[in-house]
Amino acid sequence: MSYEIKKLDQSHFDNLIELYHDCFSKKVTQKYFRWKYMECPYGKVIGFTMHSDNNLAGFYGILPEKYLISNEKFKIYQSMDTMTHSSHMKKGIFTKLAKVTYDEAIKNDNTLNILAFVGLNSFPGFVRKLDFTHVGEVKKIYLLSFILKIICLVSSNKSLEFVRVSNFDEIIDNYFKNKDRYYK
């Protein structure tokens, strides 16, 4: 089977809807992809698709984000939406697309820093084939935005205090265990 790699553009969104559903069992719209990939506050996604006989076999992309570390600004890309269609698994599609994506980012920025929160399916590819370093596991990353809005609406204290979490210890785990009812 032959494959063709193409730089992501909006003409791929219809096919991405089907691929996203195949990979994540979730229905999204073109509007979702336009918002996530093209209207990101810090820049458009750098991403590539892989096609076989005009069928979308895979997608991989990275989104730019701005970080302030020790009072120094950094652009760090977040790896996102690693997708390989179920009928094209185990053919190296993810790693090929990732390498093309990283080459494009380096061409644009002369440097590349990537942060990845990966699933079980893509973990071996990141660590074994793309030389990522596994620095730890994060059980929960954030509260869903609508939950945060509800908390703000019902709270008598309308201000929020954000605290840097540098260690995910028992206190954090217990907090999220008590909040699990929001995720059911």
Side-chain angles (χ1 to χ4, degrees), residues 2 19 27 29 31 33 49 57 63 74 82 85 88 99 107 114 116 123-124 138 143 152 161 170 176:
S2 64
L19 181 62
K27 300 244 183 209
T29 64
K31 184 178 178 182
F33 289 117
T49 57
L63 280 172
F74 290 91
T82 302
H85 194 278
H88 296 274
K99 288 176 181 178
K107 188 170 73 175
I114 300 176
F123 180 83
V138 178
L143 289 175
C152 291
E161 179 181 346
E170 286 181 45
F176 282 111

Side-chain angles (χ1 to χ4, degrees), residues 33-73:
F33 289 117
R34 198 170 14 269
W35 164 79
K36 187 172 185 179
Y37 295 167
M38 303 298 173
E39 297 172 6
C40 180
Y42 302 118
K44 293 180 182 178
V45 66
I46 297 175
F48 289 85
T49 57
M50 188 173 283
H51 303 259
S52 173
D53 299 325
N54 292 324
N55 293 315
L56 189 56
F59 167 79
Y60 180 73
I62 55 177
L63 280 172
E65 296 177 341
K66 290 184 181 177
Y67 286 79
L68 185 64
I69 303 170
S70 299
N71 291 325
E72 190 175 343
K73 293 179 183 178

Side-chain angles (χ1 to χ4, degrees), residues 148-162:
L148 185 58
K149 289 176 185 174
I150 290 170
I151 291 169
C152 291
L153 286 173
V154 298
S155 172
S156 60
N157 180 2
K158 297 296 180 188
S159 65
L160 295 175
E161 179 181 346
F162 291 89

Side-chain angles (χ1 to χ4, degrees), residues 60-167:
Y60 180 73
I62 55 177
L63 280 172
E65 296 177 341
K66 290 184 181 177
Y67 286 79
L68 185 64
I69 303 170
S70 299
N71 291 325
E72 190 175 343
K73 293 179 183 178
F74 290 91
K75 181 192 282 188
I76 299 177
Y77 288 92
Q78 182 173 335
S79 173
M80 41 65 80
D81 294 349
T82 302
M83 295 184 273
T84 300
H85 194 278
S86 57
S87 63
H88 296 274
M89 300 289 257
K90 306 291 183 197
K91 297 180 181 172
I93 290 172
F94 158 56
T95 52
K96 287 175 189 166
L97 287 173
K99 288 176 181 178
V100 169
T101 301
Y102 302 158
D103 288 345
E104 182 74 11
I106 290 169
K107 188 170 73 175
N108 293 342
D109 294 327
N110 295 323
T111 186
L112 183 61
N113 298 300
I114 300 176
L115 175 65
F117 297 96
V118 302
L120 293 176
N121 290 341
S122 57
F123 180 83
F126 276 103
V127 174
R128 293 187 201 133
K129 296 178 182 175
L130 297 172
D131 296 324
F132 272 65
T133 301
H134 178 234
V135 296
E137 296 178 17
V138 178
K139 292 181 182 176
K140 305 283 186 192
I141 300 170
Y142 54 85
L143 289 175
L144 299 174
S145 63
F146 77 92
I147 293 172
L148 185 58
K149 289 176 185 174
I150 290 170
I151 291 169
C152 291
L153 286 173
V154 298
S155 172
S156 60
N157 180 2
K158 297 296 180 188
S159 65
L160 295 175
E161 179 181 346
F162 291 89
V163 179
R164 178 182 294 246
V165 176
S166 58
N167 185 13

